[in-house]
Amino acid sequence: DRGQHETVIPSELPLGQELTSTLREWAVIWHKLYVNNKTTQFRHVQQLTYSLIEWRSQILSGTLPKDELAELKKKVTAKIDYGNRILGLDLVVRDDNGNILDPDETSTISLFKAHETASKRIDERIQEEKVPLVSLICPLHLYVNFKNFVCNIGEDAELLMSLYDPDLSKFISENYLVRWGSNGMPKEIEKLNNLQAVFTDLSSSDLIRPRISLVCQIVRVGHMELKDGKKHTCGLRRPFGVAVMDITDIIHGKVDDEEKQHFIPFQQRQLIMSPLITSHVIGENEPLTSVFNKVIAAKEVNHKGQGLWVSLKLLPGDLAQVQKDFSHLVDRSTAVARKMGFPEIILPGDVRNDIYVTLIQGEFDKGKKKTPKNVEVTMSVHDEDGNLQEKAIHPGAGYEGVSEYKSVVYYQVKQPCWYETVKVAIAIEEVSRCHLRFTFRHRSSQESRDRSERAFGVGFVKLMNADGTTLQDGKHNLIVYKGDNKKMEDAKSYLTLPCTKTEMEEKEAPLGKNLHPLANFTPTKDSTKDSFQIATVICSTKLTQNVDLLGLLNWRSNSHNIAHNLRKLMEVEGGEIVKFLPDTLDALFNIMMEMSENETYDFLVFDALVFIISLIGDIKFQHFNAVLETYIYKHFSATLAYVKLTKVLNCYVGNAEDSSKTELLFAALKALKYLFRFIVQSRVLYLRWVQPFIPVPPLGNPLEKITQCFVFFPSQGIFVACMTAILRQMEDFHYSHYINTFKTRQDIIDFLMETFIMFKDLIGKNVYAADWMVMNMMQSRVFLRAVNQFTSVLNRFFLDQANFELQLWNNYFHLAVAFLTHKSLQLETFSQAKRSKIIKKYGDMRKEIGFKIRDMWYNLGPHKIKFIPAMVGPILEVTLVPEPELRKATIPIFFDMMQCEFNFSGNRNFHKFENELITKLDQEVEGGRGDEQYKILLEKLLLEHCRKHKYLAASGEVFALLVSSLLENLLDYRTIMHDESKENRMSCTVNVLNFYKEKKREDIYIRYLYKLRDLHTDCENFTEAAYTLLLHAELLTESFMLLVLFFPSCLSSPSMEMWEKAIQLSKELADMYENKIFDYEGLGNLLKKRATFYENIMKAMRPQPEYFAVGYYGQGFPSFLRNKIFIYRGKEYERREDFNLKLLTQFPSAEKMTSTAPPAEEIKGLLAHPRAASSPHYYRANEVQQFTHSRPVRKGEKDPDNEFANMWIERTTYTTAYSFPGILKWFEVKQVTTEISPLENAIETMELTNEKITNIVQQHIWDRSLPVHPLSMLLNGIVDPAVMGGYTNYEKAFFTEKYLQEHPEDQDKIELLKQQIAIQMPLLAEGIRIHGEKLTEQLKPLHERLTACFRELRRKVEKQYGVITLVREPGFPMFCPKGSQLPLFHPWVGVRWFHRIPESASPSRSLCVQPLCPQPGGCDQSAGPWLLLKLLSLDPAPGSSLPRSPCRAALPQPCCQLRIC
C-alpha cells in the first residue's frame, strides 16, 4: 500500500520470524532473572537462548538440506514450546509440520485437541527433565580414553581396568577389558585409537572416599614361562604386572582436562619392591589386592618407560544425558563398565540383572605330584539339565560374553589367590534353573603332558535358593568334588549334593556321616583337603534375597499368605525395598484391585503403602522421591485405587479417637502428600478411561443440548470446546430463530437465566489452563458475541415496566462484569509482544463489553433505582480497569447513580450510593486495583457532571473531593504497605482511619484500627497499641465493655508501665464491679492490682522517653510527610544518635539540616534532624501536647564587655494534634514562635540556677549517702570570683538609669531579677552548710575557699538587694525562703539539656535538631516565667526519692514561699 498504512512482508521463513520474536521476548525475562539474582533459572534460560540463536543462524544460512531443515524445525519448535512453559509464557499450538495454527482457519475441536496434545507433550518433557532436578544426587561417570600401552611382553596380553578403593581393598566397578597384541597394537585393529570406556553410576558415597584409584591388571596370554619354546603349552593366562593411578582429584572435580594424557607406570609383579621390607620381593603368587596396595604405597616406581597413557574426564548426569551432552566423547561404541552395586537412584524401567562372581582363592593337595599343582579354574553357567548357557560370562566391558571363563594360572602354588571378577548375565526367568560350575585342572608347561591332564575336581553353586530367594551376597566356601570326569559333567549327578560346606554341615546333622550313599560320587577323604572360595554380589532389580519381599512380589503363587506377606513387608530393610520400588508398588495395587472382595487387604495394602512413602521420606532415601513421582505419573495404572484409598483414609480419620489406630493415622497424615497424588492420578486415569464411553445425547436445539452436556460433565474441556464450536457456527438469524421457538415468556427467562449462570461459571472456573491463550481468546470472543445477541432479547422482552425482570438483568450485569474483569483479558498485565498480538487478532474485548454495559445501564430508565446500591461494586470494578476510553465511558454511570438516588430516594441525598462506593472502593484498592490516573479522572468527571447539575452542584462537588481524598489515602496506604518502614505504614493507616471516623463508617474504621494495632505490636509499641484499642473501646455503648477490652489486656501489661493510666481506668472498672455487676471477687483482684500500681509508682524504676522534632522538606518525601513538622516520641533509652540513624536509614537520599530555620523555597528534599528533651516524671513525659525549643539570637552590635545586653531568645512552641502517648509515636504539629528579651532571659537563667541549687540541696537532705562532688562543683561554679562577673553584667546591662529610661515597662522585671539574685544567697548558704557537714580531709582547702568567697559575695548582694532567710516548715523535709509568696520548688521539677550536631549543610538537603520541652497539661504562655521555671526545671540527682503522684489532682501544694525582708 502506498497510503497511510504500509504492509511489510518479511523475507525470512516463518520459523525464523518466530525465533526472532521468541528470542526478544525471552531476553526481557532473562534480564529480569539476572536482576533478581535467580541464578539457576538464569543459567537455564541462557542455555535455551544460546541453542535457539545457533539454530537460527543455521536456518538463516539457507544451506541446510530439506530433510535436515525439517529435523531442525522439530528441535526448534520443541525447544520453544518447552522454554515458553518454564517461563510461564503462552502455549503455541502447531500442526504436524510444526507450523503455528491459525485459529480462524482451524475448527474449535481441532484447536482444543492441538492444545491438549502440545500440553501433554511438554508435560512429558518437563517430567523427564524433572528427574535430575528433583533428585538431590546427580550421578557421575568417569570417562577413560585408552591411548597407548608400552610394555616389552612379547606375547598377547589382556588389560583389565577397574576402579579400586585402596582403603577398603575393594573393587568398585566391573572390568574394562582391552586385548593387546604382541605387536604392540590392539588385537582388533578396528579399535585402534578407539579404546574408550565409561565407568558409570558413581554416587555421593564414592565422592567422599578418601582415596580412589584406577587400576589395571596385565595378564599375559601365552606360555607358562616367557622363555618357553614351541613344544610348550600355549594360551595360558599368566599374571604379569599391574599399573595404578590415584584419581582422587579427578573424582572430586579438582582436575578436569579431557585433553591431558596421564601416564600410568607399569610394574611387573616379580619386581615390585615392598616399601616396608626392602629385601622382600613381591611375587606373582600374592593376592591381587595386596599387590595393588603395595604398588600404591610404593613411593618410587622403576617403570623404565613402560606403562599406559590415558585421558580422563568426569561426566555429570545420567548416561542418556551424558551421551547427549558429550556426544563428542561418548558414542554407541563406547564401552560401559557398570558399578558393582546399585546407583543411588533406580528409576522405573531401569532393569538390571547382573551377578558378579569373584574367584577368591583355593587350596589344592598336590596328590601324587612332588610339587604343587598349576591350577586353572574353568567357570561356566549351566541349567538344571546341564545345558551350557552360551556367552553368559563377561570378563570385562568392551567385548561380548564367553561361554567358559578360564582363570589365571599360578605356577606351583598350593594356595592360589585369584581375585578375578566376572559378570554373569542371564535372563531373569532362567535364574531359577541355573547354577555355576567350576572345574579344576592342572596345567602342565609341556604341551604333550598338558593334553593328557583331565579335570581333577568340580564345584558348583545354585543361583537361587530353595525358598525362591537369590543367592546371598558374600563369600561361599564350595565343596570340591572328585570323581569320574564324565559324571562331573552330568549336572544330575551333583545337583542333589550340597554345594557349600555350610550346606553340607546342615545336612550332616540329621543324617549323620553317611551322606548321599546313592550318589555317583561323593566328597572323598582326599577331596576334603581341597577347598575353593568365591564371592558373589547380586545387582538385580527383579531378584531379591529377602524371602518376605519375595513372598509379596510372587503373591499370586501364594495367595493364602498375602496378609502375612503384607505385614512382613514393613519389617524389610529399606534399602532392599527401594531397589524394587516399582515392582513392590505394582504388587500392592494389584492385590488391592484383584482381591477387592476382601476389605482386610485394603487396610493392609494402605498401611504398606504408607510405610513405603514414609521410607522414601527418610533422609537416607530422599533421592528416591523422583523415582516415586516418576512411577505415579508414568507407570501407575490402578484406575479404581482412589476408591479404596479414600475409603481407608476416611476410616482412619473417622476413628481418630481409637487409640489402636493413632499411630497408623499419624503415619498416614505424614504420607498425605503422596497418598493424594496416587488418589488424584487414579481418578484422572479413571476419567480418561471412562470418557469415550460417556453417552452424548443427540443434538436438537443446540444451546439446550450444550447446557445439558455441560451440566452432565462440567470438568471436561472437550464439552466446553464442543459448545464453543456450535456457538461459533451460529449466525445472527440462528439466535433469533432459536429465541422464537420458545412458546412462553417464562421459557425465555429460564433459558437466559441458565445461560447467563453457565457462562459466568465457565468464566470463573477457568476451564482451560492460563497458558492456552488461543483457546481462551477463542472462547471469550464466541461468548462475547453470544452475550451481545442476548442483550437485544433483554431490551426487547424485559425492559418495559410490566415485563421487567430484575434478577435476569442482574445476572446479565454480573456476567458482563465477570467477563470484562477476567484475567485473560487484562492486556496491561501482559508483555508488549503478547499485548500487540492479542489486539491485532482480537482487539480489546473489554471495551466492547464495557460500552455495552454502559448502554444497557442507560436503557434501564426508572428501573435504575432497583440496582442501587447493589450494582455500585460491579460498576466500580469496570471503571477500575486501566483502559482510558473504558474509564471515560463508565465513570459517568456513578453520577447517574447519584442523580437517580437523589431524585427517587425521597430524602434528596445519595447516602446509599456514597456508603457503598466508599466500602467497595476500600476493598478494591486494597486488593491492588486503582491508580493515580484513576483518581484524577474520577474527580474530574464527577466534578464536571455535578457542577452542571442544578441540585447536585454543592453536595456532588463535596462528594467528588471526598472520594478523591479517600483514594489518595488508600493509594498511599497500598503503596506504603509494601514499604519496609512500618512508621510510614502507620501514618497511612491513621490517615485512612481518620477519614472513616469522620464519615462514621465504624465497620471499616475498626478494621483499620486493628491493622494499626498489629503494626504497633510488631514494633513493640505496646503503649500505642493500647491507645489504639482504646479508640475501639470508646465506640462501645457499655463502659464495662470498654474497660474489659482495654484495661486488662493493655495498660496492665508489665511492658507498658502506664500505671497512672491504669489506676484511672481501674477506678471506673471498680465502680462497675461494685455497683452494677456485683463481682466482688473481681473487685478484690482489681484492688490488689491497683495497689501494685501505686507501689510501682513509688518504687519501680521506669525509663521515660525523649521527644524529637523532625521536619521533612522537599518533593522526595511521601505526600503525608512532605513539608511538615512532627513530634516523635522516642523509645526507652533511645539516644538522639540512634534516632538520627533510624531516620537516615529510612530516607537514605535525604540530607540533614544544620539550621532550625525552614529551608529556602528552591531547596527540595530536606530532613530536619531531631534534638532531644527528656523528663523524669510521668506527667512530664506523658499526656503532654505542647513542646518548646529555644535558640539565642543577637540584635544590634555585639558588646564585647557585656554579652547579656543584646542576647535575645527565640522560643518556638509546638502544639501537636493529639497528646502523647497516643495511637502513633508521632503527631503533626503547629508551631508558634515568640521572642524573649535579654532581661527575661536573665531572669530565666537565675531561676534555673536557683532551681538547680534547691534540687541538689533537698536531695542531700533526703539522702545523706549521696556523693558530695556534684554539690562541690555547683557551689564552686557560682561563688568563685571568676564567675561573679555575671551579677556585674546584669547590673551594667539592666540596673542603669539609661536602661530604665529606655525601657520603663521593664521596672517589674528588674525587681524580679533582683529578687532572684537575693534568693540565691540563702540557698547557697544551705548548700555550703551541707558541704561542710560532709567534708573530707581532701576537700577542706576547697571548702575554706568556698566559705571565704561566699562571705564576700553574700555581703555584697545583701547590701544591694536585701536579705532573705530560709525557714523549715513543720512536716516537710525541705526549706522555704522566709517572707516571700513566690514558690521555689514544685514536684514537677525536671531537667532539660540541649544537644547540637555540628554538621555542615549540603546545598540540596540538610537535617536540623530542635530541643523540645514538653509543657504539662498544655499550659499557655500567660503564666510568665514561673511556667518556664516548671518546664525547664532540673532532674533530681541519681538515687533521690522525689515524691511521685499518680495523677495531677493528687499533687501536694507547694511548700516553699518567698518573703522579702
Side-chain angles (χ1 to χ4, degrees), residues 387-561:
N387 298 319
L388 178 68
Q389 301 293 308
E390 299 289 339
K391 298 182 178 180
I393 302 174
H394 298 263
Y399 287 89
E400 291 184 355
V402 295
S403 301
E404 290 185 344
Y405 174 75
K406 298 183 183 298
S407 72
V408 169
V409 178
Y410 289 97
Y411 185 68
Q412 295 183 355
V413 177
K414 182 180 179 181
Q415 297 177 335
C417 297
W418 293 279
Y419 283 93
E420 298 180 57
T421 301
V422 295
K423 180 173 70 174
V424 176
I426 55 180
I428 294 173
E429 58 273 10
E430 295 292 331
V431 172
S432 61
R433 303 178 61 246
C434 291
H435 64 277
L436 304 178
R437 179 196 293 174
F438 304 91
T439 57
F440 309 95
R441 178 188 175 197
H442 168 71
R443 299 303 301 267
S444 175
S445 59
Q446 297 293 328
E447 185 176 6
S448 58
R449 292 182 183 178
D450 186 68
R451 290 176 182 173
S452 62
E453 292 290 345
R454 295 289 182 265
F456 63 82
V458 66
F460 72 97
V461 64
K462 297 177 181 178
L463 295 180
M464 187 165 286
N465 299 320
D467 59 6
T469 59
T470 313
L471 181 66
Q472 294 293 321
D473 291 350
K475 295 180 179 179
H476 307 278
N477 294 311
L478 304 187
I479 300 172
V480 179
Y481 290 100
K482 295 183 178 181
D484 185 83
N485 276 275
K486 292 183 178 180
K487 292 183 178 180
M488 285 185 190
E489 297 176 1
D490 184 6
K492 295 179 180 178
S493 300
Y494 58 77
L495 284 179
T496 56
L497 302 176
C499 58
T500 65
K501 292 187 177 181
T502 304
E503 186 180 350
M504 183 175 68
E505 292 171 359
E506 291 174 353
K507 290 186 177 182
E508 279 182 349
L511 298 177
K513 297 283 185 178
N514 188 17
L515 180 65
H516 297 281
L518 300 178
N520 293 311
F521 59 90
T522 61
T524 65
K525 190 173 184 179
D526 293 333
S527 69
T528 55
K529 298 179 182 178
D530 294 351
S531 66
F532 179 61
Q533 188 181 64
I534 66 170
T536 58
V537 175
I538 308 294
C539 294
S540 174
T541 56
K542 297 297 181 180
L543 301 176
T544 178
Q545 297 169 339
N546 186 282
V547 65
D548 295 323
L549 183 58
L550 179 68
L552 178 67
L553 296 177
N554 296 331
W555 65 273
R556 286 190 177 89
S557 60
N558 197 10
S559 59
H560 60 278
N561 279 337

Side-chain angles (χ1 to χ4, degrees), residues 628-725:
L628 183 57
E629 291 188 2
T630 303
Y631 175 83
I632 293 173
Y633 295 115
K634 283 196 169 184
H635 299 271
F636 177 62
S637 59
T639 55
L640 294 176
Y642 72 94
V643 178
K644 303 273 189 177
L645 293 176
T646 51
K647 181 186 70 174
V648 177
L649 183 59
N650 286 332
C651 180
Y652 279 163
V653 174
N655 294 281
E657 297 177 356
D658 187 349
S659 59
S660 63
K661 292 185 172 59
T662 302
E663 292 186 7
L664 296 173
L665 175 60
F666 182 67
L669 293 178
K670 290 178 67 176
L672 209 56
K673 171 184 173 182
Y674 284 109
L675 283 176
F676 271 110
R677 291 193 179 183
F678 276 113
I679 292 170
V680 171
Q681 184 67 8
S682 174
R683 176 65 177 171
V684 169
L685 293 173
Y686 171 75
L687 293 176
R688 288 178 183 171
W689 177 81
V690 78
Q691 179 179 336
F693 305 103
I694 296 176
V696 179
L699 291 178
N701 290 330
L703 292 180
E704 180 182 351
K705 301 306 178 183
I706 292 167
T707 306
Q708 292 177 6
C709 290
F710 177 69
V711 172
F712 180 73
F713 215 99
S715 61
Q716 294 295 312
I718 184 63
F719 292 98
V720 181
C722 291
M723 179 184 68
T724 306

Side-chain angles (χ1 to χ4, degrees), residues 1053-1064:
S1053 172
S1055 60
M1056 292 183 51
E1057 299 179 347
M1058 297 286 293
W1059 301 311
E1060 288 80 358
K1061 187 69 175 179
I1063 289 171
Q1064 176 188 341

